[in-house]
Amino acid sequence: MADATPSSASSAASPTFDEVFCGLLPRLYRRAVMLAGSRQSAEDVVHEAYLKLAARPQRFLAHPEPYAYAFTAVLNVARDAYRKDRRQVLVDAVEGVEEVGAGGAGGGAGAGPGAGPGGWDGGVERRHAEIEAVRLLRRLSHRQAGIVILVDLDGYTIDQAAKIMKVHRGTAARHRARALDRLRGYLVESEHGQAGR
């Protein structure tokens, strides 16, 4: 009976796989939406990543940065799902994301009194920005999107992002530079399109 107490104390001190993974869920879901394009697809991606990581929980728990390890799994699952979907049927998923985003934000009704410069619009502007970020990231390759998310959204250095993505530092820097150039081009293209209306 004396042997049971120390082992239970040591197991209480170290978190379980589910505890660590669940602590990362909000952040993983946000990044998965950016990679997958919709909330439903993101849930599927994160669930599939969970199953892959749960098969070998000791690797995940032993990793010095569990978020980075989980993000890599999410990125790989999202890439595989994209390839599979692309072979099956051609669908413009971005339109579905915009419709859901507009409906979920109250269909423009949230921009009532108090909206406008310096006023709170009920989160409509932020939701619109998130949808636009998802739309733009979907136009990049998964590797480019992954590097941009890690460096520009999560705050990792190029060296750290390269290590997480398991690529050479120069490759990561090149992917990021190309991704940022493409994003700038898309923004200029979209501004010209709106000006021509």
Side-chain angles (χ1 to χ4, degrees):
M1 191 123 182
D3 292 339
T5 308
S7 67
S8 64
S10 67
S11 67
S14 61
T16 65
F17 172 82
D18 284 338
E19 290 171 341
V20 175
F21 193 87
C22 287
L24 300 173
L25 273 178
R27 194 171 173 194
L28 289 174
Y29 275 129
R30 284 194 303 271
R31 299 314 181 215
V33 167
M34 292 178 165
L35 294 168
S38 73
R39 188 167 293 178
Q40 182 178 357
S41 297
E43 288 174 1
D44 293 342
V45 165
V46 172
H47 181 259
E48 191 66 33
Y50 170 85
L51 294 175
K52 286 185 176 221
L53 294 174
R56 294 190 176 134
Q58 63 281 3
R59 284 187 180 180
F60 174 71
L61 292 172
H63 197 275
E65 266 198 87
Y67 167 76
Y69 195 82
F71 176 80
T72 302
V74 165
L75 182 65
N76 290 336
V77 169
R79 183 194 61 230
D80 294 345
Y82 173 76
R83 287 177 179 167
K84 180 180 166 190
D85 290 346
R86 194 175 64 181
R87 284 192 303 261
Q88 290 180 355
V89 68
L90 296 173
V91 176
D92 189 6
V94 174
E95 284 180 349
V97 171
E98 289 172 355
E99 290 166 13
V100 169
W120 186 66
D121 66 355
V124 174
E125 188 175 331
R126 177 185 170 140
R127 182 68 184 134
H128 178 72
E130 289 172 353
I131 291 169
E132 183 66 10
V134 168
R135 187 182 70 81
L136 290 171
L137 285 170
R138 293 279 295 167
R139 296 177 79 176
L140 301 175
S141 73
H142 277 83
R143 192 166 280 186
Q144 289 174 339
I147 292 291
V148 168
I149 287 170
L150 286 171
V151 175
D152 298 296
L153 298 177
D154 288 336
Y156 287 96
T157 65
I158 289 286
D159 290 328
Q160 292 168 327
K163 190 173 182 180
I164 291 167
M165 301 278 296
K166 296 183 172 112
V167 296
H168 189 273
R169 183 198 191 286
T171 303
R174 193 168 47 254
H175 280 306
R176 181 172 176 263
R178 287 180 181 162
L180 294 178
D181 283 345
R182 287 180 71 184
L183 291 173
R184 284 185 200 101
Y186 296 146
L187 290 173
V188 167
E189 180 182 303
S190 113
E191 286 174 6
H192 287 300
Q194 289 176 356
R197 287 184 186 173

